Amino acid sequence: MPLSPRLYHWFVRPQWITKKYIHDHVRHHVPLEDKSVLDFGSGTGANCSICHSDRYLGIEPDRNRVFLARRLYPNHKFEVFDEQNIPIDNSSIDYIFVIAVLHHIPDELIQSYLLEFERILKPEGKIIVMEPYLCKERKLNNRFMIWYDDGKYIRSEHDYLDLFHAGRYECQVVKKFTKCFLYNEIFFTAVPTAKREL
């Protein structure tokens, strides 16, 4: 059963887990200073604290999570996402965070979002992706994730990367790690090849 926004924020996204397994990895590999960030599927806003409030936008389809994010982080901007058009000008974003989102979305919808991502990214912009993934060597973790997680589309490393390749993106795997002993996590970046060719 899905958790209420407040329970989700405190139970699934407690500050120490978010810092250790998301923020520290992103900060170590991605220079965020003076960069504009779209947090796609921002949930209750847990990732906004590593971004400058004037250069951050979180979008999220769950209206109640957006309302909670606005209360928790009043200096940052959050909008309800209509799950179609991203309310951002062309070529205006340095980084798109896609953190623990794709495993909730079917392939065909991801392909449409990849077109929107390409539209809003600056020529040197990147997508920053962090997702749970199925790993042949860690079958116990796989079983736990499938049983515990609300996401219906936890994929293998190759399945995630193939989705981006099909959308004409170049991907680079930054790191693979285990979160809280039970979650296989993959951290990769993606860049639209069409932007690279300009």
Side-chain angles (χ1 to χ4, degrees):
M1 186 175 83
L3 297 174
S4 72
R6 190 167 290 278
L7 282 176
Y8 173 86
H9 184 77
W10 299 119
F11 183 67
V12 178
R13 285 280 177 263
Q15 208 167 33
W16 73 270
I17 286 182
T18 302
K19 179 183 184 304
K20 179 177 176 64
Y21 293 110
I22 299 175
H23 295 177
D24 288 353
H25 288 306
V26 172
R27 280 185 170 132
H28 186 71
H29 295 282
V30 181
L32 292 173
E33 188 174 355
D34 299 323
K35 300 297 184 182
S36 54
V37 173
L38 172 69
D39 191 357
F40 180 80
S42 54
T44 55
N47 295 320
C48 75
S49 61
I50 59 172
C51 304
H52 194 284
S53 59
D54 291 340
R55 301 180 66 80
Y56 171 93
L57 171 63
I59 61 172
E60 163 63 43
D62 186 322
R63 184 176 303 273
N64 292 324
R65 290 187 182 190
V66 170
F67 292 162
L68 178 59
R70 288 172 179 169
R71 289 198 299 274
L72 294 172
Y73 307 101
N75 295 324
H76 288 75
K77 185 176 180 183
F78 300 93
E79 292 186 7
V80 178
F81 178 42
D82 66 6
E83 300 188 69
Q84 294 181 9
N85 301 308
I86 297 175
I88 296 284
D89 292 337
N90 294 353
S91 303
S92 60
I93 292 292
D94 291 296
Y95 295 119
I96 300 172
F97 287 176
V98 183
I99 298 175
V101 174
L102 298 181
H103 69 291
H104 294 279
I105 304 175
D107 291 4
E108 59 275 12
L109 198 51
I110 291 174
Q111 291 299 335
S112 69
Y113 292 150
L114 291 177
L115 293 172
E116 276 289 272
F117 295 163
E118 181 179 349
R119 178 185 67 78
I120 66 175
L121 277 173
K122 293 179 180 179
E124 298 301 317
K126 287 184 180 180
I127 304 174
I128 310 301
V129 182
M130 203 174 292
E131 291 287 333
Y133 77 104
L134 301 174
C135 178
K136 289 180 181 177
E137 293 77 27
R138 295 184 175 170
K139 293 181 180 178
L140 178 63
N141 289 24
N142 295 345
R143 286 198 293 270
F144 175 80
M145 292 188 301
I146 291 168
W147 168 76
Y148 175 79
D149 202 285
D150 285 339
K152 297 178 182 177
Y153 305 99
I154 300 176
R155 300 168 175 89
S156 70
E157 171 184 352
H158 294 296
D159 287 341
Y160 283 119
L161 299 181
D162 285 348
L163 274 172
F164 280 79
H165 293 152
R168 298 189 64 218
Y169 281 77
E170 292 178 7
C171 299
Q172 180 180 0
V173 176
V174 178
K175 192 169 189 175
K176 291 181 275 188
F177 59 95
T178 305
K179 181 173 76 176
C180 298
F181 304 107
L182 290 168
Y183 261 68
N184 313 316
E185 295 280 332
I186 185 168
F187 173 17
F188 67 94
T189 62
V191 177
T193 55
K195 295 266 185 182
R196 282 268 176 96
E197 292 164 1
L198 293 177

